[in-house]
mmCIF file with all atom_site columns, all heavy atoms in Angstrom:
data_model
loop_
_atom_site.group_PDB
_atom_site.id
_atom_site.type_symbol
_atom_site.label_atom_id
_atom_site.label_alt_id
_atom_site.label_comp_id
_atom_site.label_asym_id
_atom_site.label_entity_id
_atom_site.label_seq_id
_atom_site.pdbx_PDB_ins_code
_atom_site.Cartn_x
_atom_site.Cartn_y
_atom_site.Cartn_z
_atom_site.occupancy
_atom_site.B_iso_or_equiv
_atom_site.pdbx_formal_charge
_atom_site.auth_seq_id
_atom_site.auth_comp_id
_atom_site.auth_asym_id
_atom_site.auth_atom_id
_atom_site.pdbx_PDB_model_num
ATOM 1  N N   . THR A 1 21 ? -7.933 9.851  0.615  1.00 0.00 ? 21 THR A N   1
ATOM 2  C CA  . THR A 1 21 ? -6.775 8.957  0.661  1.00 0.00 ? 21 THR A CA  1
ATOM 3  C C   . THR A 1 21 ? -6.193 8.872  2.073  1.00 0.00 ? 21 THR A C   1
ATOM 4  O O   . THR A 1 21 ? -6.539 9.700  2.930  1.00 0.00 ? 21 THR A O   1
ATOM 5  C CB  . THR A 1 21 ? -5.656 9.460  -0.282 1.00 0.00 ? 21 THR A CB  1
ATOM 6  O OG1 . THR A 1 21 ? -5.156 10.701 0.222  1.00 0.00 ? 21 THR A OG1 1
ATOM 7  C CG2 . THR A 1 21 ? -6.145 9.616  -1.721 1.00 0.00 ? 21 THR A CG2 1
ATOM 8  N N   . VAL A 1 36 ? -4.752 18.225 20.642 1.00 0.00 ? 36 VAL A N   1
ATOM 9  C CA  . VAL A 1 36 ? -5.860 17.429 20.125 1.00 0.00 ? 36 VAL A CA  1
ATOM 10 C C   . VAL A 1 36 ? -5.309 16.184 19.416 1.00 0.00 ? 36 VAL A C   1
ATOM 11 O O   . VAL A 1 36 ? -5.768 15.070 19.657 1.00 0.00 ? 36 VAL A O   1
ATOM 12 C CB  . VAL A 1 36 ? -6.754 18.251 19.168 1.00 0.00 ? 36 VAL A CB  1
ATOM 13 C CG1 . VAL A 1 36 ? -7.802 17.388 18.496 1.00 0.00 ? 36 VAL A CG1 1
ATOM 14 C CG2 . VAL A 1 36 ? -7.395 19.425 19.914 1.00 0.00 ? 36 VAL A CG2 1
ATOM 15 N N   . VAL A 1 46 ? -3.969 7.323  13.753 1.00 0.00 ? 46 VAL A N   1
ATOM 16 C CA  . VAL A 1 46 ? -2.660 7.425  13.120 1.00 0.00 ? 46 VAL A CA  1
ATOM 17 C C   . VAL A 1 46 ? -2.038 6.037  12.984 1.00 0.00 ? 46 VAL A C   1
ATOM 18 O O   . VAL A 1 46 ? -1.490 5.690  11.935 1.00 0.00 ? 46 VAL A O   1
ATOM 19 C CB  . VAL A 1 46 ? -1.734 8.365  13.924 1.00 0.00 ? 46 VAL A CB  1
ATOM 20 C CG1 . VAL A 1 46 ? -0.292 8.229  13.462 1.00 0.00 ? 46 VAL A CG1 1
ATOM 21 C CG2 . VAL A 1 46 ? -2.193 9.815  13.803 1.00 0.00 ? 46 VAL A CG2 1
#
Side-chain angles (χ1 to χ4, degrees):
T21 66
V36 173
V46 167

